[in-house]
Amino acid sequence: MKITILGGGGFLGRKLAARLAQDGALGGKPITELTLFDLAAPAPLATPFPLRCLGGDVADPAAVAAAIPPGTEVVFHLAAVVSAAAEADYDLGMKVNLQGTLAVLAACRALGTKPRVIFTSSVASFGGGQDAVVPDDGRQVPTNSYGAQKAIGELLLQDASRKGFLDAVSIRLPTVMVRPGRPNKAASSFVSAVVREPLLGLSTDCPVPPEFAVWICSPRSTMEWFLHAATMDTTPLGADRGINPPGRSATIAKMLEALETVAGKAAREKVGFAFDREIYDIVVGWPAAFAATRARRFGFVEQESLEELVQAFIEDDLAATKADRGL
Amino acid sequence: MKITILGGGGFLGRKLAARLAQDGALGGKPITELTLFDLAAPAPLATPFPLRCLGGDVADPAAVAAAIPPGTEVVFHLAAVVSAAAEADYDLGMKVNLQGTLAVLAACRALGTKPRVIFTSSVASFGGGQDAVVPDDGRQVPTNSYGAQKAIGELLLQDASRKGFLDAVSIRLPTVMVRPGRPNKAASSFVSAVVREPLLGLSTDCPVPPEFAVWICSPRSTMEWFLHAATMDTTPLGADRGINPPGRSATIAKMLEALETVAGKAAREKVGFAFDREIYDIVVGWPAAFAATRARRFGFVEQESLEELVQAFIEDDLAATKADRGL
Ligand SMILES: NC(=O)c1ccc[n+]([C@@H]2O[C@H](COP(=O)([O-])OP(=O)(O)OC[C@H]3O[C@@H](n4cnc5c(N)ncnc54)[C@H](O)[C@@H]3O)[C@@H](O)[C@H]2O)c1
Ligand SMILES: NC(=O)c1ccc[n+]([C@@H]2O[C@H](COP(=O)([O-])OP(=O)(O)OC[C@H]3O[C@@H](n4cnc5c(N)ncnc54)[C@H](O)[C@@H]3O)[C@@H](O)[C@H]2O)c1
């Protein structure tokens, strides 16, 4: 089975590549080739199957076609300009998040073999804010350009699935924490920072108050969801290819409690609060809770506890993050 | 005030142009120029203000920019490839309905003066079918490419409104009946045909059964909604620029009753039933009823009765349709 990861050099793309390398197979079928595609060719990793690492722009149809060779059965479309960056540069967001998804659609359609496409949509495609508990048929009224572009990507891939051009599952990812590395341009960067920075021995300021709730999930759950979306029977999904996965609603205060439980009081005390209006204005529109009944029925696994999530970061990513940041 | 109608040569575009010509003003402001834009330059009509009739492709950014000159305050974006045509030719639908709307967005944004844009979305952007009563926050899960492209257009214009590039109101039009002229490529063509053809003395076959319900409105109501959308205060709409206007749910049987009331038994007997799977499969997904509470609250007027609607066709369009079809 040939697999392509677009955005394969990013946080979730690299984790996914590592997982596929470890498993050597997907849904019981041996992997025969993996293509990692990103703006700059992703660094190679050790794999038990042939690996191609390509650089290119996902908005360039020829580059995307090269990344999705004939025989590709599964495409993970993770390439995106994230929330705060797409808000700051509307044209860049439209190019990558809209024209990019159109290029992916065209390349998959050209194969003529209806590949499975896993699209990473986002909680940011919903409005509603702190008080909402989004039902499975909740309407997407995005309050930011990134969210609008994700909702549009879902509509495009859903219709392309109905037409038989490809076979899409769009996972509306919660904010994935703990993200390794450095703070990034996602408006939700602080959600990871409040746990990661203290574990690195660094202080950090949280731009929203402690009672602010976020719909979150872990990288480990995300990988389970990706693999399930890649191998599940899509027939029961019907026309609606969007999945609200079973994440977890957590306040900053609860995250800090989990941090203290796992890493002690000193870690927790590294976190201060400094309100940031610009960030707050973006994230305040995102709903903090979802029903996610449909996803559970379709076999998407439950998110682990906050303590397990903090522990997993220590096991999976702390050493690499320290090395990466020269700490 | 300068106004542009894209798709100004079509059914609703021509009716709107005639109404603006008659009123000479919009929202109390005199009209200083009207541009009609369509694939072929629309035929001129008598207007008390300067009129430009331009031919061009709405997917061509330069042509659209020429159709929306500096100082344009209101743009009616009606240009579209309709339902059955967009289903039969996916690429054409994407070009006109998606890239066309992107070109409209770009041209309006380039003005720098935030023009009001009235976008004609459609009931076809919803799924749910016969049993649904779509609430105001009902989710759009389109069951056809046209509907998907309309839902995408709404998201694009909504986000562009939030960004301050333009000021959009998207009206999700019911099936407008009675459409003058000939049967067309809309899957809903029969909804008008069951009233129009008998009034022309012609027989017609209805492709769906008599108990089939449709969410409908009249051209007269549509014009009221267009003018209201062009002049209303959009602030209370907030992030959600989509309007489900107060149409009417009517079965084919009820339409035929109204036809009989207005035009007699002989007219009604011109309508036969011949099931058409291809048409049925498209229209069966469209919901036949909407709550439309929000639209009423925002001042969109109520749809008149079916009898009034049939009578209005006789008054407004029957003679022209007869002449047009050489009857
Ligand atoms: N991490 C989260 O919390 C989260 C939450 C919701 C949705 N998502 C979505 O999941 C996906 C992966 O997220 P991530 O956290 O790994 O993000 P990331 O930023 O780490 O990875 C995205 C990758 O896309 C690449 N990319 C950007 N523009 C590109 C272009 N023009 N051509 C090719 N590649 C391009 C980037 O270089 C980057 O490596 C994204 O689509 C994101 O929107 C993530
Ligand atoms: N009439 C209805 O029942 C109904 C219902 C729901 C939504 N709508 C929407 O309302 C709008 C007007 O509907 P209508 O009934 O007047 O349709 P219509 O087909 O009579 O008019 C649409 C016009 O768009 C023009 N057009 C098509 N492709 C074009 C292109 N590439 N460049 C420029 N112009 C192009 C056509 O030539 C046509 O004149 C459409 O957007 C339609 O989708 C109509």
Side-chain angles (χ1 to χ4, degrees), chain A residues 87 90-91 94 102 109 137-140 143-145 152 155-156 159 162-163 172, chain B residues 87 90-91 94 102 109 137-140 143-145 152 155-156 159 162-163 172:
Chain A
E87 198 56 35
Y90 178 81
D91 293 314
M94 290 290 277
L102 285 169
R109 181 184 175 194
D137 61 353
R139 177 170 166 69
Q140 284 162 304
T143 55
N144 56 92
S145 294
I152 290 170
L155 281 162
L156 289 170
D159 191 50
R162 192 188 57 81
K163 295 289 280 185
R172 303 187 189 113
Chain B
E87 198 55 36
Y90 178 81
D91 292 314
M94 289 290 277
L102 285 170
R109 181 184 175 194
D137 61 353
R139 175 169 165 71
Q140 284 163 304
T143 55
N144 57 91
S145 294
I152 289 170
L155 282 161
L156 289 171
D159 191 50
R162 191 188 58 80
K163 293 290 280 185
R172 303 187 188 113

mmCIF file of all heavy atoms in Angstrom, chain A residues 87 90-91 94 102 109 137-140 143-145 152 155-156 159 162-163 172, chain B residues 87 90-91 94 102 109 137-140 143-145 152 155-156 159 162-163 172:
data_model
loop_
_atom_site.group_PDB
_atom_site.id
_atom_site.type_symbol
_atom_site.label_atom_id
_atom_site.label_comp_id
_atom_site.label_asym_id
_atom_site.label_seq_id
_atom_site.Cartn_x
_atom_site.Cartn_y
_atom_site.Cartn_z
ATOM 1 N N GLU A 87 -5.014 34.214 9.660
ATOM 2 C CA GLU A 87 -5.736 35.435 10.014
ATOM 3 C C GLU A 87 -4.898 36.664 9.664
ATOM 4 O O GLU A 87 -5.422 37.670 9.201
ATOM 5 C CB GLU A 87 -6.068 35.407 11.520
ATOM 6 C CG GLU A 87 -7.154 36.363 11.951
ATOM 7 C CD GLU A 87 -8.471 36.189 11.191
ATOM 8 O OE1 GLU A 87 -8.828 35.049 10.845
ATOM 9 O OE2 GLU A 87 -9.116 37.215 10.924
ATOM 10 N N TYR A 90 -4.410 36.827 4.854
ATOM 11 C CA TYR A 90 -5.600 36.238 4.230
ATOM 12 C C TYR A 90 -5.261 35.530 2.916
ATOM 13 O O TYR A 90 -5.691 34.405 2.680
ATOM 14 C CB TYR A 90 -6.632 37.343 3.987
ATOM 15 C CG TYR A 90 -7.892 36.894 3.295
ATOM 16 C CD1 TYR A 90 -8.914 36.271 4.006
ATOM 17 C CD2 TYR A 90 -8.063 37.094 1.926
ATOM 18 C CE1 TYR A 90 -10.079 35.862 3.369
ATOM 19 C CE2 TYR A 90 -9.223 36.688 1.291
ATOM 20 C CZ TYR A 90 -10.226 36.070 2.014
ATOM 21 O OH TYR A 90 -11.372 35.665 1.377
ATOM 22 N N ASP A 91 -4.439 36.184 2.088
ATOM 23 C CA ASP A 91 -4.150 35.617 0.765
ATOM 24 C C ASP A 91 -3.346 34.328 0.884
ATOM 25 O O ASP A 91 -3.592 33.373 0.138
ATOM 26 C CB ASP A 91 -3.406 36.641 -0.097
ATOM 27 C CG ASP A 91 -4.307 37.824 -0.437
ATOM 28 O OD1 ASP A 91 -5.462 37.584 -0.827
ATOM 29 O OD2 ASP A 91 -3.871 38.973 -0.291
ATOM 30 N N MET A 94 -5.767 31.576 1.970
ATOM 31 C CA MET A 94 -6.614 31.156 0.856
ATOM 32 C C MET A 94 -5.823 30.285 -0.111
ATOM 33 O O MET A 94 -6.323 29.293 -0.625
ATOM 34 C CB MET A 94 -7.158 32.386 0.120
ATOM 35 C CG MET A 94 -8.189 33.156 0.915
ATOM 36 S SD MET A 94 -9.747 32.248 1.083
ATOM 37 C CE MET A 94 -10.498 32.682 -0.486
ATOM 38 N N LEU A 102 -7.918 22.199 -3.197
ATOM 39 C CA LEU A 102 -8.393 21.953 -4.568
ATOM 40 C C LEU A 102 -7.356 21.158 -5.364
ATOM 41 O O LEU A 102 -7.723 20.263 -6.150
ATOM 42 C CB LEU A 102 -8.689 23.282 -5.276
ATOM 43 C CG LEU A 102 -9.976 23.996 -4.839
ATOM 44 C CD1 LEU A 102 -10.023 25.413 -5.401
ATOM 45 C CD2 LEU A 102 -11.204 23.201 -5.286
ATOM 46 N N ARG A 109 -8.386 12.783 -7.730
ATOM 47 C CA ARG A 109 -9.360 12.462 -8.767
ATOM 48 C C ARG A 109 -8.675 11.916 -10.015
ATOM 49 O O ARG A 109 -9.163 10.970 -10.649
ATOM 50 C CB ARG A 109 -10.135 13.747 -9.098
ATOM 51 C CG ARG A 109 -11.198 13.598 -10.145
ATOM 52 C CD ARG A 109 -11.801 14.960 -10.438
ATOM 53 N NE ARG A 109 -12.764 14.926 -11.514
ATOM 54 C CZ ARG A 109 -13.236 16.005 -12.137
ATOM 55 N NH1 ARG A 109 -12.834 17.204 -11.742
ATOM 56 N NH2 ARG A 109 -14.102 15.895 -13.110
ATOM 57 N N ASP A 137 -24.657 17.506 14.568
ATOM 58 C CA ASP A 137 -25.124 18.218 13.375
ATOM 59 C C ASP A 137 -24.999 19.726 13.552
ATOM 60 O O ASP A 137 -25.689 20.496 12.905
ATOM 61 C CB ASP A 137 -26.563 17.806 13.025
ATOM 62 C CG ASP A 137 -27.544 18.150 14.150
ATOM 63 O OD1 ASP A 137 -27.078 18.569 15.236
ATOM 64 O OD2 ASP A 137 -28.754 18.003 13.936
ATOM 65 N N GLY A 138 -24.089 20.135 14.429
ATOM 66 C CA GLY A 138 -23.869 21.560 14.673
ATOM 67 C C GLY A 138 -23.359 22.255 13.423
ATOM 68 O O GLY A 138 -22.534 21.719 12.692
ATOM 69 N N ARG A 139 -23.880 23.448 13.188
ATOM 70 C CA ARG A 139 -23.527 24.244 12.017
ATOM 71 C C ARG A 139 -22.169 24.915 12.202
ATOM 72 O O ARG A 139 -21.869 25.432 13.273
ATOM 73 C CB ARG A 139 -24.621 25.296 11.857
ATOM 74 C CG ARG A 139 -24.431 26.257 10.755
ATOM 75 C CD ARG A 139 -25.705 27.080 10.568
ATOM 76 N NE ARG A 139 -25.410 28.211 9.745
ATOM 77 C CZ ARG A 139 -25.107 28.122 8.462
ATOM 78 N NH1 ARG A 139 -25.115 26.947 7.865
ATOM 79 N NH2 ARG A 139 -24.804 29.172 7.759
ATOM 80 N N GLN A 140 -21.349 24.910 11.154
ATOM 81 C CA GLN A 140 -20.057 25.582 11.216
ATOM 82 C C GLN A 140 -20.228 27.049 10.807
ATOM 83 O O GLN A 140 -20.474 27.344 9.648
ATOM 84 C CB GLN A 140 -19.053 24.874 10.291
ATOM 85 C CG GLN A 140 -18.533 23.555 10.885
ATOM 86 C CD GLN A 140 -17.897 22.638 9.856
ATOM 87 O OE1 GLN A 140 -18.536 22.301 8.870
ATOM 88 N NE2 GLN A 140 -16.657 22.236 10.089
ATOM 89 N N THR A 143 -15.384 31.846 12.943
ATOM 90 C CA THR A 143 -15.135 33.226 13.331
ATOM 91 C C THR A 143 -13.712 33.645 12.954
ATOM 92 O O THR A 143 -13.193 34.630 13.471
ATOM 93 C CB THR A 143 -15.349 33.412 14.843
ATOM 94 O OG1 THR A 143 -14.522 32.453 15.529
ATOM 95 C CG2 THR A 143 -16.796 33.166 15.233
ATOM 96 N N ASN A 144 -13.098 32.878 12.049
ATOM 97 C CA ASN A 144 -11.747 33.195 11.590
ATOM 98 C C ASN A 144 -11.557 32.582 10.204
ATOM 99 O O ASN A 144 -12.252 31.633 9.841
ATOM 100 C CB ASN A 144 -10.707 32.655 12.579
ATOM 101 C CG ASN A 144 -10.877 31.164 12.805
ATOM 102 O OD1 ASN A 144 -10.254 30.362 12.125
ATOM 103 N ND2 ASN A 144 -11.766 30.772 13.712
ATOM 104 N N SER A 145 -10.601 33.133 9.439
ATOM 105 C CA SER A 145 -10.430 32.694 8.045
ATOM 106 C C SER A 145 -9.965 31.243 7.957
ATOM 107 O O SER A 145 -10.397 30.485 7.084
ATOM 108 C CB SER A 145 -9.437 33.600 7.325
ATOM 109 O OG SER A 145 -9.972 34.908 7.219
ATOM 110 N N ILE A 152 -14.682 24.928 4.257
ATOM 111 C CA ILE A 152 -14.774 24.844 2.800
ATOM 112 C C ILE A 152 -14.087 23.572 2.301
ATOM 113 O O ILE A 152 -14.628 22.858 1.444
ATOM 114 C CB ILE A 152 -14.153 26.102 2.147
ATOM 115 C CG1 ILE A 152 -15.044 27.321 2.412
ATOM 116 C CG2 ILE A 152 -13.923 25.891 0.658
ATOM 117 C CD1 ILE A 152 -14.430 28.651 2.029
ATOM 118 N N LEU A 155 -16.371 20.684 2.729
ATOM 119 C CA LEU A 155 -17.447 20.651 1.724
ATOM 120 C C LEU A 155 -16.923 20.130 0.390
ATOM 121 O O LEU A 155 -17.584 19.335 -0.286
ATOM 122 C CB LEU A 155 -18.049 22.049 1.548
ATOM 123 C CG LEU A 155 -19.038 22.488 2.637
ATOM 124 C CD1 LEU A 155 -19.221 24.004 2.632
ATOM 125 C CD2 LEU A 155 -20.403 21.812 2.454
ATOM 126 N N LEU A 156 -15.722 20.577 0.018
ATOM 127 C CA LEU A 156 -15.136 20.132 -1.250
ATOM 128 C C LEU A 156 -14.897 18.629 -1.247
ATOM 129 O O LEU A 156 -15.233 17.930 -2.205
ATOM 130 C CB LEU A 156 -13.804 20.853 -1.496
ATOM 131 C CG LEU A 156 -13.881 22.338 -1.842
ATOM 132 C CD1 LEU A 156 -12.495 22.956 -1.824
ATOM 133 C CD2 LEU A 156 -14.547 22.531 -3.209
ATOM 134 N N ASP A 159 -18.184 16.518 -1.171
ATOM 135 C CA ASP A 159 -18.836 16.432 -2.476
ATOM 136 C C ASP A 159 -18.028 15.544 -3.425
ATOM 137 O O ASP A 159 -18.601 14.768 -4.200
ATOM 138 C CB ASP A 159 -19.025 17.837 -3.063
ATOM 139 C CG ASP A 159 -19.937 17.804 -4.274
ATOM 140 O OD1 ASP A 159 -21.030 17.201 -4.172
ATOM 141 O OD2 ASP A 159 -19.563 18.340 -5.332
ATOM 142 N N ARG A 162 -18.905 12.024 -2.657
ATOM 143 C CA ARG A 162 -20.198 11.684 -3.224
ATOM 144 C C ARG A 162 -20.076 11.410 -4.722
ATOM 145 O O ARG A 162 -20.701 10.492 -5.248
ATOM 146 C CB ARG A 162 -21.170 12.843 -2.968
ATOM 147 C CG ARG A 162 -22.631 12.541 -3.231
ATOM 148 C CD ARG A 162 -23.459 13.820 -3.134
ATOM 149 N NE ARG A 162 -22.973 14.839 -4.043
ATOM 150 C CZ ARG A 162 -23.253 14.903 -5.339
ATOM 151 N NH1 ARG A 162 -24.064 14.024 -5.890
ATOM 152 N NH2 ARG A 162 -22.733 15.852 -6.094
ATOM 153 N N LYS A 163 -19.218 12.198 -5.392
ATOM 154 C CA LYS A 163 -19.016 12.025 -6.832
ATOM 155 C C LYS A 163 -18.160 10.796 -7.147
ATOM 156 O O LYS A 163 -18.005 10.443 -8.313
ATOM 157 C CB LYS A 163 -18.323 13.261 -7.419
ATOM 158 C CG LYS A 163 -19.119 14.549 -7.374
ATOM 159 C CD LYS A 163 -20.298 14.574 -8.335
ATOM 160 C CE LYS A 163 -19.905 14.901 -9.765
ATOM 161 N NZ LYS A 163 -21.106 15.034 -10.640
ATOM 162 N N ARG A 172 -12.331 16.855 12.585
ATOM 163 C CA ARG A 172 -12.240 18.220 13.130
ATOM 164 C C ARG A 172 -11.469 18.160 14.428
ATOM 165 O O ARG A 172 -12.045 18.004 15.510
ATOM 166 C CB ARG A 172 -13.644 18.773 13.332
ATOM 167 C CG ARG A 172 -14.437 18.752 12.030
ATOM 168 C CD ARG A 172 -15.756 19.430 12.167
ATOM 169 N NE ARG A 172 -16.553 19.211 10.976
ATOM 170 C CZ ARG A 172 -17.675 18.485 10.942
ATOM 171 N NH1 ARG A 172 -18.157 17.931 12.041
ATOM 172 N NH2 ARG A 172 -18.324 18.333 9.808
ATOM 173 N N GLU B 87 -24.385 19.380 -11.710
ATOM 174 C CA GLU B 87 -24.249 17.958 -11.388
ATOM 175 C C GLU B 87 -23.721 17.198 -12.602
ATOM 176 O O GLU B 87 -22.906 16.284 -12.472
ATOM 177 C CB GLU B 87 -25.612 17.387 -10.948
ATOM 178 C CG GLU B 87 -25.553 16.083 -10.204
ATOM 179 C CD GLU B 87 -24.662 16.122 -8.973
ATOM 180 O OE1 GLU B 87 -24.608 17.149 -8.284
ATOM 181 O OE2 GLU B 87 -23.998 15.091 -8.711
ATOM 182 N N TYR B 90 -19.220 18.708 -13.495
ATOM 183 C CA TYR B 90 -18.589 19.105 -12.236
ATOM 184 C C TYR B 90 -17.612 20.267 -12.439
ATOM 185 O O TYR B 90 -17.627 21.243 -11.687
ATOM 186 C CB TYR B 90 -17.871 17.899 -11.636
ATOM 187 C CG TYR B 90 -17.125 18.171 -10.356
ATOM 188 C CD1 TYR B 90 -17.783 18.209 -9.135
ATOM 189 C CD2 TYR B 90 -15.742 18.390 -10.367
ATOM 190 C CE1 TYR B 90 -17.097 18.457 -7.959
ATOM 191 C CE2 TYR B 90 -15.049 18.634 -9.193
ATOM 192 C CZ TYR B 90 -15.720 18.669 -7.995
ATOM 193 O OH TYR B 90 -15.036 18.914 -6.836
ATOM 194 N N ASP B 91 -16.780 20.169 -13.475
ATOM 195 C CA ASP B 91 -15.750 21.185 -13.675
ATOM 196 C C ASP B 91 -16.356 22.549 -14.003
ATOM 197 O O ASP B 91 -15.873 23.573 -13.524
ATOM 198 C CB ASP B 91 -14.775 20.744 -14.772
ATOM 199 C CG ASP B 91 -13.956 19.542 -14.319
ATOM 200 O OD1 ASP B 91 -13.452 19.558 -13.180
ATOM 201 O OD2 ASP B 91 -13.848 18.564 -15.082
ATOM 202 N N MET B 94 -17.726 24.000 -10.771
ATOM 203 C CA MET B 94 -16.646 24.498 -9.914
ATOM 204 C C MET B 94 -16.111 25.818 -10.459
ATOM 205 O O MET B 94 -15.839 26.750 -9.697
ATOM 206 C CB MET B 94 -15.517 23.471 -9.852
ATOM 207 C CG MET B 94 -15.877 22.227 -9.065
ATOM 208 S SD MET B 94 -16.009 22.553 -7.291
ATOM 209 C CE MET B 94 -14.280 22.448 -6.840
ATOM 210 N N LEU B 102 -15.109 33.534 -6.121
ATOM 211 C CA LEU B 102 -13.803 34.060 -5.697
ATOM 212 C C LEU B 102 -13.456 35.329 -6.477
ATOM 213 O O LEU B 102 -12.904 36.287 -5.912
ATOM 214 C CB LEU B 102 -12.710 33.000 -5.902
ATOM 215 C CG LEU B 102 -12.703 31.857 -4.883
ATOM 216 C CD1 LEU B 102 -11.755 30.745 -5.326
ATOM 217 C CD2 LEU B 102 -12.288 32.378 -3.504
ATOM 218 N N ARG B 109 -13.394 43.375 -3.003
ATOM 219 C CA ARG B 109 -12.336 43.720 -2.059
ATOM 220 C C ARG B 109 -11.436 44.814 -2.630
ATOM 221 O O ARG B 109 -11.017 45.732 -1.908
ATOM 222 C CB ARG B 109 -11.528 42.456 -1.771
ATOM 223 C CG ARG B 109 -10.401 42.624 -0.799
ATOM 224 C CD ARG B 109 -9.625 41.315 -0.683
ATOM 225 N NE ARG B 109 -8.461 41.428 0.157
ATOM 226 C CZ ARG B 109 -7.486 40.529 0.195
ATOM 227 N NH1 ARG B 109 -7.570 39.435 -0.549
ATOM 228 N NH2 ARG B 109 -6.452 40.703 0.986
ATOM 229 N N ASP B 137 -30.297 27.386 12.584
ATOM 230 C CA ASP B 137 -28.899 26.990 12.702
ATOM 231 C C ASP B 137 -28.676 25.604 12.096
ATOM 232 O O ASP B 137 -27.732 24.904 12.461
ATOM 233 C CB ASP B 137 -28.438 27.050 14.157
ATOM 234 C CG ASP B 137 -29.236 26.114 15.047
ATOM 235 O OD1 ASP B 137 -30.229 25.522 14.559
ATOM 236 O OD2 ASP B 137 -28.870 25.959 16.226
ATOM 237 N N GLY B 138 -29.535 25.219 11.174
ATOM 238 C CA GLY B 138 -29.402 23.909 10.524
ATOM 239 C C GLY B 138 -28.117 23.814 9.729
ATOM 240 O O GLY B 138 -27.719 24.774 9.062
ATOM 241 N N ARG B 139 -27.488 22.651 9.807
ATOM 242 C CA ARG B 139 -26.213 22.421 9.148
ATOM 243 C C ARG B 139 -26.435 22.122 7.664
ATOM 244 O O ARG B 139 -27.332 21.375 7.306
ATOM 245 C CB ARG B 139 -25.568 21.220 9.839
ATOM 246 C CG ARG B 139 -24.303 20.750 9.254
ATOM 247 C CD ARG B 139 -23.640 19.736 10.202
ATOM 248 N NE ARG B 139 -22.614 19.043 9.482
ATOM 249 C CZ ARG B 139 -21.477 19.617 9.106
ATOM 250 N NH1 ARG B 139 -21.244 20.862 9.425
ATOM 251 N NH2 ARG B 139 -20.594 18.953 8.416
ATOM 252 N N GLN B 140 -25.581 22.708 6.808
ATOM 253 C CA GLN B 140 -25.662 22.439 5.374
ATOM 254 C C GLN B 140 -24.835 21.202 5.037
ATOM 255 O O GLN B 140 -23.613 21.236 5.084
ATOM 256 C CB GLN B 140 -25.166 23.661 4.589
ATOM 257 C CG GLN B 140 -26.191 24.810 4.567
ATOM 258 C CD GLN B 140 -25.601 26.144 4.175
ATOM 259 O OE1 GLN B 140 -24.653 26.595 4.815
ATOM 260 N NE2 GLN B 140 -26.145 26.775 3.162
ATOM 261 N N THR B 143 -26.346 17.532 -0.904
ATOM 262 C CA THR B 143 -26.369 16.220 -1.560
ATOM 263 C C THR B 143 -26.142 16.377 -3.067
ATOM 264 O O THR B 143 -26.437 15.463 -3.830
ATOM 265 C CB THR B 143 -27.711 15.522 -1.297
ATOM 266 O OG1 THR B 143 -28.767 16.399 -1.723
ATOM 267 C CG2 THR B 143 -27.894 15.220 0.180
ATOM 268 N N ASN B 144 -25.613 17.520 -3.465
ATOM 269 C CA ASN B 144 -25.323 17.765 -4.879
ATOM 270 C C ASN B 144 -24.222 18.823 -4.963
ATOM 271 O O ASN B 144 -24.014 19.602 -4.033
ATOM 272 C CB ASN B 144 -26.592 18.223 -5.616
ATOM 273 C CG ASN B 144 -27.180 19.464 -4.957
ATOM 274 O OD1 ASN B 144 -26.862 20.581 -5.318
ATOM 275 N ND2 ASN B 144 -28.017 19.267 -3.945
ATOM 276 N N SER B 145 -23.507 18.844 -6.097
ATOM 277 C CA SER B 145 -22.342 19.731 -6.225
ATOM 278 C C SER B 145 -22.747 21.203 -6.210
ATOM 279 O O SER B 145 -22.055 22.049 -5.632
ATOM 280 C CB SER B 145 -21.579 19.423 -7.517
ATOM 281 O OG SER B 145 -21.018 18.132 -7.443
ATOM 282 N N ILE B 152 -20.212 26.775 -0.026
ATOM 283 C CA ILE B 152 -18.838 27.299 -0.027
ATOM 284 C C ILE B 152 -18.850 28.801 -0.304
ATOM 285 O O ILE B 152 -18.151 29.574 0.364
ATOM 286 C CB ILE B 152 -17.980 26.543 -1.066
ATOM 287 C CG1 ILE B 152 -17.717 25.108 -0.582
ATOM 288 C CG2 ILE B 152 -16.658 27.269 -1.332
ATOM 289 C CD1 ILE B 152 -17.091 24.186 -1.622
ATOM 290 N N LEU B 155 -19.660 30.628 2.818
ATOM 291 C CA LEU B 155 -18.537 30.683 3.763
ATOM 292 C C LEU B 155 -17.515 31.730 3.329
ATOM 293 O O LEU B 155 -16.989 32.484 4.162
ATOM 294 C CB LEU B 155 -17.876 29.303 3.869
ATOM 295 C CG LEU B 155 -18.605 28.274 4.742
ATOM 296 C CD1 LEU B 155 -18.145 26.857 4.418
ATOM 297 C CD2 LEU B 155 -18.387 28.568 6.230
ATOM 298 N N LEU B 156 -17.239 31.784 2.023
ATOM 299 C CA LEU B 156 -16.269 32.752 1.512
ATOM 300 C C LEU B 156 -16.742 34.181 1.771
ATOM 301 O O LEU B 156 -15.971 35.028 2.243
ATOM 302 C CB LEU B 156 -16.077 32.558 0.005
ATOM 303 C CG LEU B 156 -15.319 31.300 -0.426
ATOM 304 C CD1 LEU B 156 -15.403 31.124 -1.938
ATOM 305 C CD2 LEU B 156 -13.854 31.379 0.018
ATOM 306 N N ASP B 159 -16.830 35.128 5.545
ATOM 307 C CA ASP B 159 -15.514 35.444 6.090
ATOM 308 C C ASP B 159 -15.014 36.779 5.540
ATOM 309 O O ASP B 159 -14.405 37.566 6.269
ATOM 310 C CB ASP B 159 -14.531 34.314 5.773
ATOM 311 C CG ASP B 159 -13.234 34.484 6.542
ATOM 312 O OD1 ASP B 159 -13.308 34.685 7.782
ATOM 313 O OD2 ASP B 159 -12.156 34.435 5.933
ATOM 314 N N ARG B 162 -16.578 39.467 7.555
ATOM 315 C CA ARG B 162 -15.912 39.598 8.849
ATOM 316 C C ARG B 162 -14.601 40.368 8.704
ATOM 317 O O ARG B 162 -14.241 41.191 9.544
ATOM 318 C CB ARG B 162 -15.656 38.197 9.419
ATOM 319 C CG ARG B 162 -15.211 38.155 10.867
ATOM 320 C CD ARG B 162 -14.812 36.736 11.259
ATOM 321 N NE ARG B 162 -13.761 36.226 10.405
ATOM 322 C CZ ARG B 162 -12.473 36.511 10.528
ATOM 323 N NH1 ARG B 162 -12.046 37.292 11.507
ATOM 324 N NH2 ARG B 162 -11.590 36.027 9.683
ATOM 325 N N LYS B 163 -13.891 40.107 7.589
ATOM 326 C CA LYS B 163 -12.618 40.783 7.343
ATOM 327 C C LYS B 163 -12.804 42.242 6.914
ATOM 328 O O LYS B 163 -11.826 42.969 6.789
ATOM 329 C CB LYS B 163 -11.838 40.044 6.238
ATOM 330 C CG LYS B 163 -11.353 38.642 6.599
ATOM 331 C CD LYS B 163 -10.237 38.610 7.621
ATOM 332 C CE LYS B 163 -8.884 38.908 7.017
ATOM 333 N NZ LYS B 163 -7.806 38.743 8.055
ATOM 334 N N ARG B 172 -30.746 32.077 0.980
ATOM 335 C CA ARG B 172 -30.886 30.689 0.507
ATOM 336 C C ARG B 172 -32.267 30.540 -0.101
ATOM 337 O O ARG B 172 -33.238 30.171 0.566
ATOM 338 C CB ARG B 172 -30.687 29.727 1.665
ATOM 339 C CG ARG B 172 -29.340 29.948 2.329
ATOM 340 C CD ARG B 172 -29.036 28.919 3.363
ATOM 341 N NE ARG B 172 -27.838 29.284 4.097
ATOM 342 C CZ ARG B 172 -27.815 29.630 5.384
ATOM 343 N NH1 ARG B 172 -28.925 29.635 6.099
ATOM 344 N NH2 ARG B 172 -26.679 29.949 5.965
#
